Amino acid sequence: MQKVIILTGPSGVGKNTLGDFLLEQFPQLSYSVSATNRPIRKGEEDGRDYHFMNREAFEEKIRTDELLEWQEVYDGTYYGTLKSELERINQLNKFPLLVVDVFGALNVMKNLKFKPLSLFILPKDLEVLRQRLENRGTDTPETIQKRLGKAEIEMQEYRQFDFAIVNDDLSKAKSQVASIVDDFLKSTH
Ligand code: ADP
Ligand code: 5GP
């Protein structure tokens, strides 16, 4: 049976933190490695965190229809889900976990031939998001401002997802997502 889990929400809300937790808890899940043309950050690894490529290579993947969805998430910066990742994970007899931006998630839901499980992670408020992005230390003040502007627009979409979880107390959010994913993986339809 094909099952896909989508984790989405604004940048800095804790998607990757909760995604890493789910991957530890559920060995039947495998992380879908997205493609992007953004520069690689310290500590990241090509092929593990993203398939890093230049803009021309990304645009070629769009032209050749190799992406299930893609978004220009920030000006000039593309992110997309490779169809080949879902096939690779299927071959492993595992289920893909997609950690993608909100509009990418909506497109995955539209483009898949079956219904995935979709989780929207919400912050307590926008101020908390700002603090998390600042503490993470991976973005310039200008980028943080852009990400916060986008967060307001993205948060209006949360009702379109199966579950909305507030990531305030991390251990509480972890147990909520784990319980939802557990039910989904056990379900037979
Ligand atoms: P995203 O993947 O949504 O951009 P991250 O998982 O990278 O977000 O989280 C952003 C920052 O917030 C990270 O430094 C992470 O450790 C921290 N963080 C995540 N969840 C919480 C939480 N519930 N309380 C405090 N800090 C958190
Ligand atoms: P970052 O640059 O912080 O790694 O990610 C920036 C944003 O791009 C995040 O909101 C992240 O979820 C989103 N993103 C990562 N991979 C994909 C993808 O494959 N498709 C889409 N649409 N967004 C993605």
Side-chain angles (χ1 to χ4, degrees), residues 28-47:
Q28 55 283 55
L29 297 183
S30 182
Y31 182 67
S32 164
V33 181
S34 298
T36 186
N37 68 324
R38 86 142 158 72
I40 188 162
R41 290 178 191 146
K42 199 161 167 271
E44 286 183 332
E45 203 179 291
D46 185 29

Side-chain angles (χ1 to χ4, degrees), residues 12-65:
V13 77
K15 296 184 294 298
N16 282 292
T17 305
L18 291 168
D20 289 347
F21 166 73
L22 288 174
L23 291 165
E24 274 165 33
Q25 294 290 308
F26 298 99
Q28 55 283 55
L29 297 183
S30 182
Y31 182 67
S32 164
V33 181
S34 298
T36 186
N37 68 324
R38 86 142 158 72
I40 188 162
R41 290 178 191 146
K42 199 161 167 271
E44 286 183 332
E45 203 179 291
D46 185 29
R48 184 194 65 188
D49 298 289
Y50 284 102
H51 294 289
F52 291 97
M53 58 190 71
N54 63 26
R55 189 183 175 126
E56 290 69 35
F58 196 103
E59 287 171 348
E60 180 63 16
K61 297 226 175 285
I62 298 173
R63 265 195 301 278
T64 51
D65 197 27

Side-chain angles (χ1 to χ4, degrees), residues 117-186:
L117 172 70
S118 59
L119 304 176
F120 194 108
I121 312 301
L122 285 161
K124 193 172 70 139
D125 54 45
L126 285 172
E127 191 42 42
V128 165
L129 264 194
R130 178 194 301 283
Q131 280 163 15
R132 284 195 194 153
L133 288 170
E134 283 173 3
N135 293 343
R136 190 169 68 179
T138 53
D139 302 289
T140 62
E142 196 199 4
T143 306
I144 291 178
Q145 208 46 46
K146 261 195 228 167
R147 288 181 184 228
L148 288 171
K150 194 159 175 280
E152 270 191 89
I153 300 164
E154 292 173 327
M155 273 156 52
Q156 292 167 14
E157 304 295 330
Y158 78 90
R159 290 179 197 81
Q160 302 201 50
F161 295 82
D162 295 328
F163 294 91
I165 294 126
V166 178
N167 178 22
D168 184 16
D169 177 326
L170 182 58
S171 58
K172 202 169 143 200
K174 280 180 175 173
S175 68
Q176 284 175 326
V177 293
S179 153
I180 293 165
V181 167
D182 193 38
D183 286 347
F184 176 71
L185 292 175
K186 282 181 181 149

Side-chain angles (χ1 to χ4, degrees), residues 63-131:
R63 265 195 301 278
T64 51
D65 197 27
E66 289 177 63
L67 297 160
L68 179 65
E69 61 77 32
W70 62 272
Q71 291 283 307
E72 192 174 348
V73 175
Y74 305 103
D75 280 349
T77 309
Y78 294 117
Y79 294 84
T81 304
L82 291 158
K83 292 180 182 172
S84 59
E85 275 294 296
L86 300 199
E87 280 158 25
R88 177 183 69 79
I89 294 166
N90 198 26
Q91 291 293 318
L92 296 172
N93 284 318
K94 294 193 177 200
F95 303 117
L97 174 69
L98 274 56
V99 181
V100 298
D101 95 306
V102 175
F103 295 98
L106 290 170
N107 284 333
V108 172
M109 285 147 74
K110 202 169 70 194
N111 295 344
L112 280 179
K113 293 187 181 68
F114 54 92
K115 200 187 158 312
L117 172 70
S118 59
L119 304 176
F120 194 108
I121 312 301
L122 285 161
K124 193 172 70 139
D125 54 45
L126 285 172
E127 191 42 42
V128 165
L129 264 194
R130 178 194 301 283
Q131 280 163 15

